[in-house]
Amino acid sequence: MFSLLITFLLFFIVTVQPVNAQLLEESTSSAQIIPTEIPITEITPIPTDIASTLTENILIPTETPTLTPTLIPTPTPTPTPTPKVIESESIKFPQITTDKADYSPTDIAIISGNNFLSNTQYILNITSDNLNVNYQINSDESGSFIYNYQLDGIYRPNYKVEARDLNNNIISFITFTDKRSVLSATVNGQNSINVFSRDSITVGVSVNTDWWWFWNNDWRSTSWRFGNSGEWNCVDTPNHLKSGDYSEFFQINAPINPKKYQLQIRIHGLENCGILFKSDIFTLKDAITVSLPDTTPPIITIDLYNTNLTNQDIIVSASTNEGTLNFTSHTFESNDSFTFIATDSVGNIATEIITINNIDKTPPTLLNKTEFGNSWYNTDQLSVFNFTDENGVISGNNPTCQIFSEGSFQTCSVGLNVCDTAGNCNTDLIFSNSANIDKTKPILGFSITPSSSNADNNWYRTQPEINLTNIENNPFIFQYKWDSENSWTNYNFCLRPSFEGSHTLYFQSQDLAGNQTSSLIEIKWDQTEPSIAPQNISANPNNTSNSVSTIKWDQAIDNIGIDKYEIKWTLNNPNNPFSYSKTVGFDVRETEIDKLIEGRWTVQVFAIDPSGLKKDNAIDLFIIKNSEIIFNDVPVKTVLAQKKLLTEIKDTDNQIIPILTSFPTVLGTSTTKKKFNLKWFLLVTIMVLLYISIRKYNNKSKKII
């Protein structure tokens, strides 16, 4: 009664709490049931007196179950009371169903309940190998529930799901599997066969696979054994990673002992028959019957005989344990093979082939000697004599002699004592093949016109002429080439470089014996000055009051390249001349000049080629260091402004008096206004008037005289 009361109370206070789990996609040949996710609602607390009895056996998840559910001890079930039979066709019993009967290790099993009490709390107990977990579920108003159970990825062949009430009574249960299926197996294409010991047997296996896209491990290897005990043998059959029925064949050997054997087979989802992802055992009963007929042949015994290398005949004797022999002995005079044949009473035949390869009666023979042919050699030549023997040479092999004299068809000789391992020796006198020997190298020389360079750095200002000489009694080739990229040409006349520049003349000679002499000459010829002098020369700053300025220029051009630049700056003052210079590399385009004093300087930039020929351009550089004067309201907008006022004043003799009035040097761009310097203006005016007065006075004095 208490149980019915509790059930009645929970009918009103407990709400449905389905547990959501994300379904992983699985490609199978059957249709899938994809449940719609239902929002998780809050669970009404279980009454204290009931909850206290469930503390150790019930997990109340607050979120979707993880891949590793908490394991709890399996509760001891309360004996189920005998149900009262109600004779009514309208009564429907609680029932648990799953969306499939078989799953992969990482599938989600959709567990559904129907015909349970409405709005009632139950315990879902899931058990398998090393697995016992409980989950709290609630039925809805129609007495139904859905639970998505995520398998934990560990292969277990069988699962059981029980729905229990809060008193641990089993209301309903269902089972499902997690395995691959062996559909059938055959031996030599049949269910059973008769064979002899160790016969080869072809095993055929047909398998149904259920593909799982993440693991790809449905069928990768197969294990087998005879009987239902003993070690398993593994066969790495081809991988089958998709759903379907597949067949594979492999070879095994029949057992040794005669009797009937059953064949057990299981398939694996891993290579090398791993313990995970294996199927149930498939047994082919009484598959192999092994029998042992009388197939034992006679035994032939061979007496000991000489197996060492010898130059004598060898006699081999034989006997048999049953039956007759074709021959009881055989004499070998040379290396050969012979077959002894024994036959027993039932026709079993045994053979024994004796092969002799240790008889050697022939002394070593000359295999070859060094071939020199018609070639010429530039060193002493060694003649090597190679001997051969069918069983090997033990001493004296590869005798040699040296040809050391120069000339055509030179030979040498050696006395032999070459013995093989059987004791046969060759003691002949033998001569080498002839050889042509020349050890002297060619002697090379040259002469150049003009005999020495006539420009800077060993350059020739005029085109040089080169003549080559070669001293050789046995010439073969005499060649030359200009620079490394050109090809060799036979030499027969005077040589001249074809164009200006730095060149290397290579020349070589080789005689028929291969003696080679090579040499080279460095030739540098330039008679053309640079074609374009340095361009766009500039000085920055210019004009300036500084003692330094930076000179820039554009690259000059020469037919063989610019070697360096020389910058020279000279003060244009006949009474006080100054001149300086500096040299920079061919790749420099600007440099700083210093030691500048007031005045006009001429700056020259010389482009100098490697032979010393040069070409230049120049600019003027103004250095002004006097005081600055700027009129009021006159903005200065140039980097450097120097204004000079030339005033012409004529005296009574109509002579021109030059007056140079200097205005200030201003750096930068400025619009600054300065007041007119009246002091300096008055001073200059007074001096001019004074000068005019003195001139007039002198003129009057001259007239009076």
Side-chain angles (χ1 to χ4, degrees), residues 165-213:
D165 62 16
L166 298 184
N167 291 323
N168 211 27
N169 297 316
I170 299 174
I171 308 303
S172 181
F173 72 90
I174 193 171
T175 62
F176 61 83
T177 60
D178 174 15
K179 61 186 179 182
R180 296 149 191 82
S181 302
V182 178
L183 301 177
S184 64
T186 60
V187 285
N188 290 345
Q190 305 175 55
N191 292 329
S192 62
I193 55 173
N194 294 314
V195 294
F196 296 122
S197 298
R198 297 176 177 170
D199 276 359
S200 178
I201 301 172
T202 300
V203 178
V205 181
S206 296
V207 173
N208 173 260
T209 63
D210 184 13
W211 175 69
W212 177 243
W213 68 273

Short mmCIF file of all heavy atoms in Angstrom, two decimals, residues 165-213:
data_model
loop_
_atom_site.label_atom_id
_atom_site.label_comp_id
_atom_site.label_asym_id
_atom_site.label_seq_id
_atom_site.Cartn_x
_atom_site.Cartn_y
_atom_site.Cartn_z
N ASP A 165 11.04 0.44 -10.75
CA ASP A 165 10.39 1.49 -9.98
C ASP A 165 11.28 1.87 -8.82
O ASP A 165 12.39 1.36 -8.66
CB ASP A 165 8.99 1.04 -9.54
CG ASP A 165 9.03 -0.18 -8.62
OD1 ASP A 165 10.13 -0.47 -8.07
OD2 ASP A 165 8.01 -0.85 -8.46
N LEU A 166 10.81 2.78 -7.99
CA LEU A 166 11.63 3.27 -6.89
C LEU A 166 11.84 2.25 -5.80
O LEU A 166 12.65 2.47 -4.90
CB LEU A 166 11.03 4.56 -6.32
CG LEU A 166 10.93 5.73 -7.30
CD1 LEU A 166 10.41 6.98 -6.59
CD2 LEU A 166 12.29 6.01 -7.92
N ASN A 167 11.14 1.14 -5.85
CA ASN A 167 11.36 0.03 -4.92
C ASN A 167 12.27 -1.03 -5.51
O ASN A 167 12.37 -2.13 -4.99
CB ASN A 167 10.03 -0.60 -4.52
CG ASN A 167 9.20 0.34 -3.66
OD1 ASN A 167 9.73 1.08 -2.82
ND2 ASN A 167 7.88 0.34 -3.86
N ASN A 168 12.89 -0.67 -6.64
CA ASN A 168 13.85 -1.57 -7.31
C ASN A 168 13.16 -2.77 -7.95
O ASN A 168 13.80 -3.78 -8.24
CB ASN A 168 14.94 -2.03 -6.34
CG ASN A 168 16.24 -2.26 -7.07
OD1 ASN A 168 16.50 -1.64 -8.10
ND2 ASN A 168 17.07 -3.12 -6.54
N ASN A 169 11.87 -2.70 -8.19
CA ASN A 169 11.16 -3.77 -8.90
C ASN A 169 11.36 -3.59 -10.40
O ASN A 169 11.28 -2.46 -10.91
CB ASN A 169 9.66 -3.74 -8.57
CG ASN A 169 9.40 -4.01 -7.10
OD1 ASN A 169 10.00 -4.92 -6.53
ND2 ASN A 169 8.53 -3.19 -6.49
N ILE A 170 11.64 -4.67 -11.11
CA ILE A 170 11.84 -4.63 -12.56
C ILE A 170 10.47 -4.56 -13.23
O ILE A 170 9.65 -5.47 -13.12
CB ILE A 170 12.62 -5.86 -13.05
CG1 ILE A 170 14.00 -5.90 -12.39
CG2 ILE A 170 12.77 -5.84 -14.56
CD1 ILE A 170 14.79 -7.17 -12.70
N ILE A 171 10.23 -3.47 -13.93
CA ILE A 171 8.94 -3.28 -14.59
C ILE A 171 8.99 -3.85 -16.00
O ILE A 171 8.07 -4.51 -16.47
CB ILE A 171 8.57 -1.78 -14.64
CG1 ILE A 171 8.66 -1.17 -13.23
CG2 ILE A 171 7.19 -1.60 -15.22
CD1 ILE A 171 7.78 -1.86 -12.21
N SER A 172 10.16 -3.61 -16.73
CA SER A 172 10.31 -4.13 -18.09
C SER A 172 11.81 -4.14 -18.41
O SER A 172 12.59 -3.44 -17.76
CB SER A 172 9.57 -3.25 -19.10
OG SER A 172 9.72 -3.78 -20.41
N PHE A 173 12.21 -4.96 -19.40
CA PHE A 173 13.62 -4.99 -19.80
C PHE A 173 13.72 -5.34 -21.28
O PHE A 173 12.78 -5.85 -21.90
CB PHE A 173 14.42 -5.98 -18.95
CG PHE A 173 14.12 -7.42 -19.24
CD1 PHE A 173 14.84 -8.11 -20.20
CD2 PHE A 173 13.09 -8.08 -18.57
CE1 PHE A 173 14.55 -9.43 -20.49
CE2 PHE A 173 12.80 -9.40 -18.85
CZ PHE A 173 13.53 -10.09 -19.82
N ILE A 174 14.91 -5.07 -21.81
CA ILE A 174 15.21 -5.42 -23.20
C ILE A 174 16.73 -5.56 -23.32
O ILE A 174 17.47 -5.04 -22.48
CB ILE A 174 14.69 -4.35 -24.18
CG1 ILE A 174 14.72 -4.88 -25.62
CG2 ILE A 174 15.52 -3.07 -24.08
CD1 ILE A 174 14.02 -3.94 -26.60
N THR A 175 17.18 -6.28 -24.32
CA THR A 175 18.63 -6.46 -24.56
C THR A 175 18.98 -5.96 -25.96
O THR A 175 18.13 -5.94 -26.85
CB THR A 175 19.05 -7.93 -24.42
OG1 THR A 175 18.37 -8.70 -25.41
CG2 THR A 175 18.74 -8.46 -23.03
N PHE A 176 20.24 -5.57 -26.11
CA PHE A 176 20.76 -5.28 -27.45
C PHE A 176 22.23 -5.67 -27.47
O PHE A 176 22.83 -5.99 -26.43
CB PHE A 176 20.58 -3.80 -27.83
CG PHE A 176 21.27 -2.81 -26.95
CD1 PHE A 176 22.62 -2.50 -27.15
CD2 PHE A 176 20.59 -2.16 -25.92
CE1 PHE A 176 23.26 -1.58 -26.36
CE2 PHE A 176 21.25 -1.25 -25.12
CZ PHE A 176 22.58 -0.95 -25.34
N THR A 177 22.79 -5.72 -28.66
CA THR A 177 24.16 -6.23 -28.83
C THR A 177 25.06 -5.18 -29.45
O THR A 177 24.59 -4.22 -30.04
CB THR A 177 24.17 -7.49 -29.72
OG1 THR A 177 23.65 -7.14 -31.00
CG2 THR A 177 23.35 -8.61 -29.12
N ASP A 178 26.35 -5.42 -29.30
CA ASP A 178 27.38 -4.57 -29.89
C ASP A 178 28.43 -5.51 -30.48
O ASP A 178 29.42 -5.85 -29.85
CB ASP A 178 28.01 -3.67 -28.82
CG ASP A 178 29.18 -2.89 -29.36
OD1 ASP A 178 29.32 -2.82 -30.59
OD2 ASP A 178 29.96 -2.37 -28.55
N LYS A 179 28.22 -5.98 -31.67
CA LYS A 179 29.12 -6.99 -32.22
C LYS A 179 29.04 -7.00 -33.73
O LYS A 179 28.12 -6.47 -34.34
CB LYS A 179 28.79 -8.37 -31.67
CG LYS A 179 27.37 -8.85 -32.02
CD LYS A 179 27.07 -10.17 -31.33
CE LYS A 179 25.64 -10.64 -31.67
NZ LYS A 179 25.30 -11.89 -31.00
N ARG A 180 30.04 -7.65 -34.31
CA ARG A 180 30.02 -7.95 -35.73
C ARG A 180 29.58 -9.40 -35.88
O ARG A 180 29.78 -10.19 -34.98
CB ARG A 180 31.44 -7.74 -36.30
CG ARG A 180 31.86 -6.29 -36.22
CD ARG A 180 33.36 -6.16 -36.05
NE ARG A 180 33.68 -4.77 -35.71
CZ ARG A 180 33.58 -4.29 -34.47
NH1 ARG A 180 33.22 -5.08 -33.48
NH2 ARG A 180 33.86 -3.02 -34.23
N SER A 181 29.04 -9.72 -36.98
CA SER A 181 28.42 -11.05 -37.13
C SER A 181 29.15 -11.85 -38.19
O SER A 181 29.36 -11.38 -39.30
CB SER A 181 26.94 -10.91 -37.53
OG SER A 181 26.25 -10.16 -36.56
N VAL A 182 29.55 -13.09 -37.85
CA VAL A 182 30.04 -14.05 -38.83
C VAL A 182 28.83 -14.81 -39.36
O VAL A 182 28.14 -15.52 -38.63
CB VAL A 182 31.05 -15.02 -38.20
CG1 VAL A 182 31.51 -16.04 -39.24
CG2 VAL A 182 32.24 -14.27 -37.63
N LEU A 183 28.54 -14.63 -40.64
CA LEU A 183 27.35 -15.27 -41.21
C LEU A 183 27.57 -16.75 -41.44
O LEU A 183 26.69 -17.57 -41.14
CB LEU A 183 26.99 -14.58 -42.53
CG LEU A 183 26.69 -13.07 -42.44
CD1 LEU A 183 26.43 -12.51 -43.83
CD2 LEU A 183 25.49 -12.82 -41.54
N SER A 184 28.73 -17.11 -41.99
CA SER A 184 29.00 -18.51 -42.29
C SER A 184 30.48 -18.70 -42.49
O SER A 184 31.22 -17.74 -42.64
CB SER A 184 28.24 -18.96 -43.55
OG SER A 184 28.71 -18.24 -44.68
N ALA A 185 30.90 -19.97 -42.47
CA ALA A 185 32.28 -20.33 -42.74
C ALA A 185 32.31 -21.66 -43.46
O ALA A 185 31.42 -22.51 -43.29
CB ALA A 185 33.08 -20.40 -41.44
N THR A 186 33.33 -21.87 -44.30
CA THR A 186 33.48 -23.12 -45.05
C THR A 186 34.93 -23.56 -45.00
O THR A 186 35.83 -22.76 -44.76
CB THR A 186 33.06 -22.95 -46.52
OG1 THR A 186 33.90 -21.95 -47.12
CG2 THR A 186 31.60 -22.54 -46.64
N VAL A 187 35.15 -24.85 -45.21
CA VAL A 187 36.48 -25.43 -45.36
C VAL A 187 36.53 -26.11 -46.71
O VAL A 187 35.74 -27.02 -46.98
CB VAL A 187 36.80 -26.40 -44.20
CG1 VAL A 187 37.12 -25.64 -42.94
CG2 VAL A 187 35.67 -27.37 -43.94
N ASN A 188 37.44 -25.62 -47.55
CA ASN A 188 37.52 -26.10 -48.94
C ASN A 188 36.15 -26.03 -49.63
O ASN A 188 35.77 -26.89 -50.41
CB ASN A 188 38.06 -27.52 -49.01
CG ASN A 188 39.52 -27.59 -48.65
OD1 ASN A 188 40.21 -26.58 -48.62
ND2 ASN A 188 40.03 -28.79 -48.35
N GLY A 189 35.38 -24.97 -49.29
CA GLY A 189 34.08 -24.76 -49.92
C GLY A 189 32.96 -25.60 -49.35
O GLY A 189 31.84 -25.57 -49.88
N GLN A 190 33.21 -26.36 -48.29
CA GLN A 190 32.18 -27.24 -47.72
C GLN A 190 32.08 -27.00 -46.23
O GLN A 190 32.91 -26.33 -45.62
CB GLN A 190 32.55 -28.71 -47.98
CG GLN A 190 32.79 -29.03 -49.46
CD GLN A 190 33.27 -30.45 -49.64
OE1 GLN A 190 32.63 -31.40 -49.19
NE2 GLN A 190 34.41 -30.61 -50.31
N ASN A 191 31.01 -27.63 -45.63
CA ASN A 191 30.85 -27.53 -44.18
C ASN A 191 31.77 -28.48 -43.44
O ASN A 191 32.12 -28.24 -42.28
CB ASN A 191 29.40 -27.80 -43.79
CG ASN A 191 28.46 -26.72 -44.26
OD1 ASN A 191 28.85 -25.55 -44.36
ND2 ASN A 191 27.23 -27.08 -44.57
N SER A 192 32.15 -29.61 -44.08
CA SER A 192 33.06 -30.58 -43.46
C SER A 192 33.86 -31.27 -44.55
O SER A 192 33.37 -31.43 -45.68
CB SER A 192 32.28 -31.61 -42.64
OG SER A 192 31.40 -32.35 -43.47
N ILE A 193 35.10 -31.67 -44.19
CA ILE A 193 35.98 -32.31 -45.17
C ILE A 193 36.80 -33.40 -44.48
O ILE A 193 36.94 -33.41 -43.24
CB ILE A 193 36.93 -31.28 -45.81
CG1 ILE A 193 37.72 -30.53 -44.73
CG2 ILE A 193 36.20 -30.33 -46.72
CD1 ILE A 193 38.79 -29.61 -45.28
N ASN A 194 37.34 -34.33 -45.27
CA ASN A 194 38.28 -35.34 -44.81
C ASN A 194 39.64 -35.04 -45.44
O ASN A 194 39.75 -34.91 -46.66
CB ASN A 194 37.82 -36.75 -45.23
CG ASN A 194 36.53 -37.15 -44.53
OD1 ASN A 194 36.39 -36.96 -43.33
ND2 ASN A 194 35.58 -37.70 -45.28
N VAL A 195 40.66 -34.92 -44.60
CA VAL A 195 41.99 -34.59 -45.08
C VAL A 195 43.02 -35.43 -44.34
O VAL A 195 42.70 -36.11 -43.35
CB VAL A 195 42.30 -33.10 -44.87
CG1 VAL A 195 41.40 -32.22 -45.70
CG2 VAL A 195 42.17 -32.72 -43.39
N PHE A 196 44.25 -35.36 -44.86
CA PHE A 196 45.36 -36.00 -44.17
C PHE A 196 46.09 -34.95 -43.32
O PHE A 196 45.86 -33.74 -43.44
CB PHE A 196 46.33 -36.62 -45.18
CG PHE A 196 45.71 -37.73 -45.98
CD1 PHE A 196 45.68 -37.67 -47.36
CD2 PHE A 196 45.15 -38.83 -45.35
CE1 PHE A 196 45.11 -38.68 -48.10
CE2 PHE A 196 44.58 -39.86 -46.08
CZ PHE A 196 44.55 -39.79 -47.47
N SER A 197 46.98 -35.45 -42.47
CA SER A 197 47.75 -34.56 -41.58
C SER A 197 48.47 -33.48 -42.39
O SER A 197 49.07 -33.76 -43.42
CB SER A 197 48.77 -35.36 -40.77
OG SER A 197 48.11 -36.30 -39.95
N ARG A 198 48.36 -32.27 -41.87
CA ARG A 198 49.08 -31.10 -42.39
C ARG A 198 48.67 -30.71 -43.81
O ARG A 198 49.37 -29.93 -44.45
CB ARG A 198 50.60 -31.34 -42.35
CG ARG A 198 51.14 -31.53 -40.95
CD ARG A 198 52.62 -31.85 -40.97
NE ARG A 198 53.15 -31.97 -39.64
CZ ARG A 198 54.37 -32.44 -39.35
NH1 ARG A 198 55.17 -32.81 -40.33
NH2 ARG A 198 54.79 -32.53 -38.11
N ASP A 199 47.56 -31.24 -44.29
CA ASP A 199 47.07 -30.79 -45.60
C ASP A 199 46.70 -29.31 -45.53
O ASP A 199 46.28 -28.80 -44.48
CB ASP A 199 45.86 -31.62 -46.03
CG ASP A 199 46.25 -32.93 -46.68
OD1 ASP A 199 47.46 -33.16 -46.80
OD2 ASP A 199 45.36 -33.72 -47.04
N SER A 200 46.83 -28.63 -46.67
CA SER A 200 46.42 -27.23 -46.75
C SER A 200 44.91 -27.15 -46.91
O SER A 200 44.32 -27.88 -47.71
CB SER A 200 47.12 -26.54 -47.92
OG SER A 200 46.70 -25.20 -48.02
N ILE A 201 44.29 -26.26 -46.15
CA ILE A 201 42.83 -26.09 -46.16
C ILE A 201 42.52 -24.62 -46.45
O ILE A 201 43.13 -23.72 -45.85
CB ILE A 201 42.21 -26.50 -44.81
CG1 ILE A 201 42.53 -27.96 -44.50
CG2 ILE A 201 40.71 -26.25 -44.79
CD1 ILE A 201 42.13 -28.39 -43.11
N THR A 202 41.56 -24.40 -47.35
CA THR A 202 41.10 -23.05 -47.64
C THR A 202 39.87 -22.75 -46.81
O THR A 202 38.84 -23.42 -46.94
CB THR A 202 40.78 -22.88 -49.13
OG1 THR A 202 41.95 -23.15 -49.91
CG2 THR A 202 40.30 -21.46 -49.41
N VAL A 203 39.98 -21.75 -45.94
CA VAL A 203 38.86 -21.35 -45.08
C VAL A 203 38.21 -20.12 -45.69
O VAL A 203 38.88 -19.14 -46.01
CB VAL A 203 39.35 -21.04 -43.65
CG1 VAL A 203 38.19 -20.57 -42.79
CG2 VAL A 203 40.01 -22.26 -43.03
N GLY A 204 36.88 -20.21 -45.87
CA GLY A 204 36.12 -19.06 -46.34
C GLY A 204 35.24 -18.52 -45.23
O GLY A 204 34.59 -19.29 -44.52
N VAL A 205 35.22 -17.20 -45.04
CA VAL A 205 34.44 -16.56 -43.99
C VAL A 205 33.57 -15.48 -44.61
O VAL A 205 34.05 -14.65 -45.37
CB VAL A 205 35.36 -15.94 -42.91
CG1 VAL A 205 34.53 -15.29 -41.81
CG2 VAL A 205 36.29 -16.99 -42.33
N SER A 206 32.26 -15.54 -44.29
CA SER A 206 31.32 -14.50 -44.73
C SER A 206 30.89 -13.71 -43.50
O SER A 206 30.51 -14.30 -42.48
CB SER A 206 30.11 -15.11 -45.43
OG SER A 206 30.50 -15.77 -46.61
N VAL A 207 30.93 -12.35 -43.61
CA VAL A 207 30.72 -11.49 -42.45
C VAL A 207 29.76 -10.38 -42.82
O VAL A 207 29.81 -9.85 -43.93
CB VAL A 207 32.07 -10.90 -41.97
CG1 VAL A 207 31.85 -9.87 -40.86
CG2 VAL A 207 32.99 -12.00 -41.49
N ASN A 208 28.91 -10.04 -41.88
CA ASN A 208 28.06 -8.85 -42.01
C ASN A 208 28.66 -7.76 -41.14
O ASN A 208 28.89 -7.97 -39.95
CB ASN A 208 26.63 -9.15 -41.57
CG ASN A 208 25.77 -7.89 -41.53
OD1 ASN A 208 25.56 -7.32 -40.48
ND2 ASN A 208 25.30 -7.46 -42.69
N THR A 209 28.93 -6.59 -41.74
CA THR A 209 29.52 -5.48 -40.99
C THR A 209 28.53 -4.34 -40.87
O THR A 209 27.63 -4.17 -41.70
CB THR A 209 30.79 -4.97 -41.70
OG1 THR A 209 30.44 -4.47 -42.98
CG2 THR A 209 31.80 -6.08 -41.85
N ASP A 210 28.71 -3.57 -39.80
CA ASP A 210 27.89 -2.39 -39.57
C ASP A 210 28.84 -1.22 -39.44
O ASP A 210 29.51 -1.06 -38.42
CB ASP A 210 27.07 -2.57 -38.30
CG ASP A 210 26.12 -1.40 -38.05
OD1 ASP A 210 25.94 -0.60 -38.98
OD2 ASP A 210 25.57 -1.31 -36.95
N TRP A 211 28.95 -0.42 -40.48
CA TRP A 211 30.00 0.60 -40.57
C TRP A 211 29.74 1.75 -39.59
O TRP A 211 28.62 2.21 -39.43
CB TRP A 211 30.06 1.14 -41.99
CG TRP A 211 31.02 2.28 -42.15
CD1 TRP A 211 32.36 2.20 -42.08
CD2 TRP A 211 30.72 3.66 -42.42
NE1 TRP A 211 32.94 3.41 -42.28
CE2 TRP A 211 31.94 4.34 -42.50
CE3 TRP A 211 29.55 4.37 -42.59
CZ2 TRP A 211 32.01 5.69 -42.74
CZ3 TRP A 211 29.62 5.72 -42.84
CH2 TRP A 211 30.83 6.36 -42.90
N TRP A 212 30.81 2.19 -38.94
CA TRP A 212 30.75 3.38 -38.08
C TRP A 212 31.80 4.36 -38.55
O TRP A 212 32.98 4.07 -38.55
CB TRP A 212 30.99 2.99 -36.64
CG TRP A 212 31.01 4.18 -35.74
CD1 TRP A 212 32.05 4.62 -35.01
CD2 TRP A 212 29.93 5.07 -35.47
NE1 TRP A 212 31.72 5.72 -34.31
CE2 TRP A 212 30.41 6.05 -34.55
CE3 TRP A 212 28.62 5.18 -35.90
CZ2 TRP A 212 29.63 7.07 -34.08
CZ3 TRP A 212 27.85 6.21 -35.41
CH2 TRP A 212 28.34 7.13 -34.52
N TRP A 213 31.35 5.55 -38.98
CA TRP A 213 32.23 6.48 -39.69
C TRP A 213 33.41 6.96 -38.87
O TRP A 213 34.45 7.25 -39.39
CB TRP A 213 31.43 7.69 -40.15
CG TRP A 213 30.96 8.56 -39.04
CD1 TRP A 213 29.84 8.44 -38.33
CD2 TRP A 213 31.65 9.70 -38.50
NE1 TRP A 213 29.75 9.39 -37.38
CE2 TRP A 213 30.85 10.20 -37.46
CE3 TRP A 213 32.86 10.33 -38.80
CZ2 TRP A 213 31.21 11.30 -36.71
CZ3 TRP A 213 33.21 11.42 -38.06
CH2 TRP A 213 32.38 11.89 -37.02
#
